[in-house]
């Protein structure tokens, strides 16, 4: 049985998991909040190391990553479990339950699958990858050796020390910033806003970063929420892309879907602070990337159809300004 990293013995046979800010103190035979890290005989163990719930080759725009190798396809793997408890989770069947069908795939097999599929990178996605820290780290190291890149799609809930260990092997991430209200985080996700902000700030200077906010009617669709998020991101780098996605009823939430007009209005609020704001989950509409200097279309997107139209040698083909896109 694989032992976990980042834990210490606790009182009365408990183990104290130090991986994420949930700070679980886990009794013998039990798992932490994420459901995947277990106290067995006073050690923190990983009975679901390498248990993969989903594997597929996706357009990278589905992650979503719009400024990182646009138009490419990426081998994507998902796990089970999550450090959050979001009632609106769009992947709740694998994140909020660990009793789902999985298949065992070792890091070596994962990397050789990526090579065979001619994927330039591996995305750790679908459910929360960071609670499978050791598997993601092992796979990322091997992937790097094989010349592949690594992408995280995550809630950004990781303590500073493990983040320092993992980020050198990560090339790009899309991190959820679910709201600007600490009470929303506490009540709706079980997490702490400040911890997510800390991870985002740490990742911003080190890897290619994009941020996603799922806009939920009456919950986080107040313009002040989006204004707070956009100001925070702009304080790190106004070139970081923000994706505002429309919510659809899932899991415990029965609120009606977010009206497209709401998402578009909030995007205009965010554009006061950020250069690149995209709307998502609204059907096959265009989310082009335009040059911040002259408005030339750099990347044209309609649904999953992607065309790099206006970039030459890393610059806007029209005005010569530096392109914000990595890998095109
Ligand atoms: S990784 Fe899991 S067990 Fe560890 S503190 Fe976070 S939720 Fe708890």
């Amino acid at each position: 049985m694989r032992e976990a990293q980042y834990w210490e013995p606790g009182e009365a046979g408990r183990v104290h998991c130090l991986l994420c800010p949930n700070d679980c103190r886990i009794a013998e035979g039990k798992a932490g909040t994420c459901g995947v890290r277990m106290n067995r005989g006073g050690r923190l163990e990983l009975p679901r190391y390498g248990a993969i719930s989903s594997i597929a080759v996706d357009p990278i725009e589905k992650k979503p990553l719009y400024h990182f190798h646009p138009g490419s396809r990426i081998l994507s793997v998902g796990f089970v479990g999550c450090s959050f408890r979001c009632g609106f989770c769009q992947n709740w069947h694998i994140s909020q339950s660990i009793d789902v069908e999985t298949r065992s795939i070792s890091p070596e097999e994962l990397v050789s699958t990526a090579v065979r599929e001619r994927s330039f990178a591996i995305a750790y996605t679908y459910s929360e990858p960071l609670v499978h820290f050791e598997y993601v780290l092992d796979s990322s190291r091997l992937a790097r050796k094989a010349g592949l890149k690594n992408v995280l799609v995550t809630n950004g809930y990781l303590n500073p020390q493990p983040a320092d260990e993992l980020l050198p092997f990560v090339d790009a991430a899309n991190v959820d910033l679910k709201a600007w209200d600490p009470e929303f985080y506490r009540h709706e996700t079980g997490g702490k806003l400040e911890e997510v902000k800390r991870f985002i700030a740490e990742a911003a200077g080190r890897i290619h970063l994009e941020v996603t906010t799922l806009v939920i009617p009456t919950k986080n669709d107040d313009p002040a929420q989006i204004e707070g998020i956009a100001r925070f991101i702009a304080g790190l780098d106004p070139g970081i892309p923000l994706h505002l996605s429309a919510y659809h009823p899932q899991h415990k939430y029965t609120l009606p879907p977010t009206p497209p007009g709401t998402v578009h209005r909030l995007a205009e609020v965010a554009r006061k602070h950020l250069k690149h704001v995209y709307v998502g989950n609204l059907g096959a509409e265009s989310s082009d990337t335009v040059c911040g200097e002259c408005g030339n279309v750099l990347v044209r997107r309609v649904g999953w159809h992607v065309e790099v139209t206006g970039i030459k040698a890393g610059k806007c083909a029209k005005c010569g300004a530096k392109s914000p896109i990595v890998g095109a």
Side-chain angles (χ1 to χ4, degrees):
M1 178 61 69
R2 175 73 186 260
E3 185 177 327
Q5 292 179 237
Y6 296 105
W7 66 277
E8 62 186 11
E11 288 176 2
R14 290 176 182 263
V15 296
H16 180 194
C17 180
L18 304 167
L19 186 71
C20 92
N22 277 339
D23 213 20
C24 296
R25 286 161 165 85
I26 309 165
E28 167 64 35
K30 303 286 185 200
T33 300
C34 57
V36 299
R37 304 172 77 81
M38 288 192 76
N39 178 350
R40 286 192 169 164
R43 282 171 18 128
L44 191 61
E45 292 192 341
L46 306 169
R48 287 179 176 78
Y49 180 92
I52 300 297
S53 62
S54 341
I55 182 163
V57 179
D58 288 337
I60 198 161
E61 283 74 17
K62 259 193 179 181
K63 301 300 108 191
L65 284 177
Y66 277 18
H67 287 202
F68 191 73
H69 297 263
S72 58
R73 294 168 65 76
I74 184 165
L75 182 73
S76 304
V77 281
F79 307 88
V80 294
C82 185
S83 44
F84 281 180
R85 286 286 167 266
C86 307
F88 50 83
C89 182
Q90 310 278 297
N91 278 333
W92 59 274
H93 50 288
I94 53 172
S95 73
Q96 300 304 310
S97 168
I98 52 165
D99 296 321
V100 294
E101 201 178 322
T102 57
R103 57 194 265 219
S104 180
I105 299 179
S106 69
E108 290 79 7
E109 288 170 314
L110 180 65
V111 171
S112 56
T113 304
V115 171
R116 197 172 57 243
E117 294 287 342
R118 299 179 192 279
S119 178
F120 79 104
I122 298 171
Y124 308 91
T125 177
Y126 303 136
S127 67
E128 177 49 52
L130 293 179
V131 298
H132 298 271
F133 174 85
E134 295 78 1
Y135 182 86
V136 173
L137 182 62
D138 292 348
S139 302
S140 298
R141 281 193 172 120
L142 284 178
R144 272 283 174 83
K145 276 192 192 155
L148 303 177
K149 298 188 187 305
N150 294 295
V151 166
L152 287 176
V153 182
T154 175
N155 64 9
Y157 220 49
L158 188 67
N159 280 332
Q161 209 184 333
D164 271 350
E165 187 175 1
L166 181 61
L167 285 174
F169 298 97
V170 176
D171 297 281
N174 189 305
V175 182
D176 279 352
L177 184 50
K178 295 172 190 283
W180 194 243
D181 175 10
E183 193 50 31
F184 175 100
Y185 257 91
R186 197 187 65 74
H187 191 256
E188 304 289 342
T189 76
K192 299 183 194 108
L193 170 63
E194 285 307 313
E195 299 287 351
V196 178
K197 283 166 60 184
R198 183 192 45 69
F199 179 84
I200 289 174
E202 188 167 343
R206 300 171 68 169
I207 61 173
H208 173 80
L209 179 69
E210 305 193 17
V211 174
T212 294
T213 301
L214 183 74
V215 177
I216 308 170
T218 72
K219 295 288 183 181
N220 65 354
D221 62 347
D222 185 317
Q225 290 283 313
I226 302 304
E227 180 106 37
I229 287 172
R231 275 182 193 274
F232 166 69
I233 298 170
L236 301 171
D237 175 356
I240 294 174
L242 173 65
H243 301 263
L244 296 178
S245 296
Y247 144 95
H248 292 275
Q250 286 284 352
H251 194 28
K252 296 177 181 166
Y253 267 42
T254 54
L255 287 167
T258 315
T262 303
V263 188
H264 286 291
R265 270 195 303 281
L266 294 174
E268 286 309 312
V269 171
R271 285 185 186 116
K272 286 191 284 174
H273 306 282
L274 296 170
K275 293 181 185 168
H276 303 285
V277 180
Y278 300 101
V279 299
N281 277 0
L282 291 176
E285 58 184 86
S286 170
S287 273
D288 297 342
T289 301
V290 298
C291 172
E293 297 299 320
C294 70
N296 180 35
V297 176
L298 303 177
V299 182
R300 193 174 290 291
R301 300 182 188 87
V302 180
W304 303 124
H305 180 76
V306 179
E307 223 179 312
V308 178
T309 53
I311 301 174
K312 244 189 195 164
K315 293 180 176 168
C316 170
K318 194 170 169 196
C319 75
K322 189 174 181 294
S323 160
I325 306 288
V326 176

